[in-house]
Amino acid sequence: MALEIKILDYGDIELESSFLVLGRDCGRTRRVLTLGFLIIGGKYPVVVDTGYRSNQIMETLGMRGLQYHEHMIENQLAHHGVRMGDVRFVCHTHLHIDHAGKDDLFPMNTTVVLNRKELEYSVSGLMHPQYPAPDIKHLIDRLHTKSALRFLDLEITGPIELMPGVYCDAANAHTEGSMNIIVETADGIATICGDVIYDINDQIVTPFNEIHDWEPRTTGNHGTTKRAEKAAIKKLLSNSRYLLPVHDRPAKIEGGNVIGRLHDQVPGPIVQSLPERNWFPA
């Protein structure tokens, strides 16, 4: 059975628009998705990112959480016949407040997988408010529990195979320790890219306020350089058939262009087709 990715809906967040796309609609509020991902079809289920802990914790960043009963991770997994204890690995693109808030609901024999540099970065203070104490302290408990935590050193090793058809690779963007999860599907490579991309339309399809040819727009929230952010997006577009960000619906890629959008699963039906770019305006 080929690997598939099911979308998990952890609720929405309301936040300032330029946080998502640099310079866009400063001072205006946007409502965005918070997604997780369930990889099935292999020997055991794998979850990527676990959402935010509670609506209240989002207020520490001046944001509004909109998470309800149906968004609880156990309920989202149940839609696909998966229980919390069935999950072998929980992988994290990174450890920000809206990505690692439910790890403590998984048993300690579920291994949390992250890039070592991301845990180091989480306690550096460089993006301090975005790494809440309860989430990071739980990971320290896992650090001292046999087999509860797995570190990767992706900047040195290059991509690492987690299980057949699933690889982890350094993102080199958003945070110093972010990683991408690469999944081999029946229709090509699907890359779960965390927060390297927040908004596919305004960063890639029609990049906000960009005039250069084929130049993506960065987010307004990153701890690396603009050069690194842009390069990371270009690499994703070059190497992936599907892109799955955490705060937007998945995209299908062809020749480096976004040609369609999906909804609940990858591979899956296209719910929005995009025309080819008009590179040579009259």
Side-chain angles (χ1 to χ4, degrees):
M1 179 179 177
L3 296 178
E4 300 177 6
I5 306 172
K6 303 296 186 181
I7 310 302
L8 307 175
D9 182 358
Y10 296 146
D12 294 353
I13 300 172
E14 289 184 351
L15 71 168
E16 204 260 345
S17 178
S18 66
F19 191 91
L20 302 167
V21 180
L22 186 63
R24 182 188 67 183
D25 296 337
C26 297
R28 294 190 178 182
T29 299
R30 290 268 178 138
R31 181 167 175 168
V32 297
L33 302 160
T34 303
L35 304 177
F37 307 94
L38 173 65
I39 302 169
I40 59 172
K43 186 175 181 181
Y44 31 67
V46 175
V47 166
V48 180
D49 287 346
T50 60
Y52 54 93
R53 181 172 291 269
S54 66
N55 290 333
Q56 292 72 29
I57 204 165
M58 296 308 303
E59 295 173 5
T60 65
L61 293 183
M63 301 176 185
R64 183 184 179 207
L66 296 158
Q67 183 183 91
Y68 303 102
H69 180 72
E70 65 268 23
H71 301 127
M72 296 298 103
I73 191 167
E74 59 270 27
N75 296 331
Q76 288 292 307
L77 290 174
H79 292 326
H80 306 287
V82 175
R83 299 168 299 179
M84 304 286 283
D86 297 335
V87 176
R88 176 66 183 89
F89 295 117
V90 170
C91 299
H92 284 302
T93 59
H94 61 298
L95 298 175
H96 274 172
I97 191 170
D98 48 342
H99 294 259
K102 299 292 180 69
D103 289 16
D104 56 357
L105 299 183
F106 287 89
M108 285 298 198
N109 61 0
T110 294
T111 303
V112 172
V113 181
L114 50 90
N115 200 16
R116 189 189 308 270
K117 183 175 281 189
E118 181 62 12
L119 188 58
E120 295 171 349
Y121 190 67
S122 74
V123 296
S124 70
L126 291 171
M127 298 180 82
H128 164 65
Q130 298 190 57
Y131 292 103
D135 299 355
I136 304 307
K137 287 179 179 179
H138 170 71
L139 291 174
I140 301 305
D141 289 339
R142 285 186 174 269
L143 179 71
H144 293 280
T145 304
K146 184 175 175 58
S147 299
L149 193 63
R150 178 184 292 191
F151 286 122
L152 305 177
D153 296 288
L154 298 171
E155 296 80 14
I156 299 171
T157 64
I160 292 289
E161 185 178 43
L162 184 65
M163 68 181 207
V166 179
Y167 298 82
C168 302
D169 191 19
N172 297 314
H174 189 57
T175 69
E176 289 185 0
S178 284
M179 69 178 182
N180 297 321
I181 314 301
I182 299 164
V183 182
E184 295 177 350
T185 77
D187 192 37
I189 295 296
T191 305
I192 301 169
C193 57
D195 288 357
V196 178
I197 298 168
Y198 276 141
D199 186 314
I200 285 175
N201 186 73
D202 285 5
Q203 287 186 256
I204 299 171
V205 177
T206 309
F208 172 78
N209 217 26
E210 290 285 354
I211 64 171
H212 300 129
D213 186 39
W214 228 337
E215 187 76 356
R217 188 69 169 175
T218 69
T219 74
N221 177 42
H222 53 264
T224 69
T225 67
K226 296 293 186 297
R227 186 192 304 273
E229 295 293 314
K230 288 176 179 284
I233 296 170
K234 292 172 183 177
K235 181 179 178 181
L236 289 169
L237 289 168
S238 177
N239 294 346
S240 305
R241 179 62 165 168
Y242 296 97
L243 286 180
L244 295 88
V246 164
H247 298 290
D248 202 354
R249 291 291 175 184
K252 189 171 186 177
I253 311 298
E254 188 173 285
N257 293 306
V258 177
I259 63 166
R261 304 298 300 277
L262 299 88
H263 195 267
D264 292 336
Q265 61 187 37
V266 173
I270 299 295
V271 297
Q272 178 191 4
S273 297
L274 280 76
E276 185 176 352
R277 288 182 182 179
N278 180 10
W279 295 112
F280 304 103

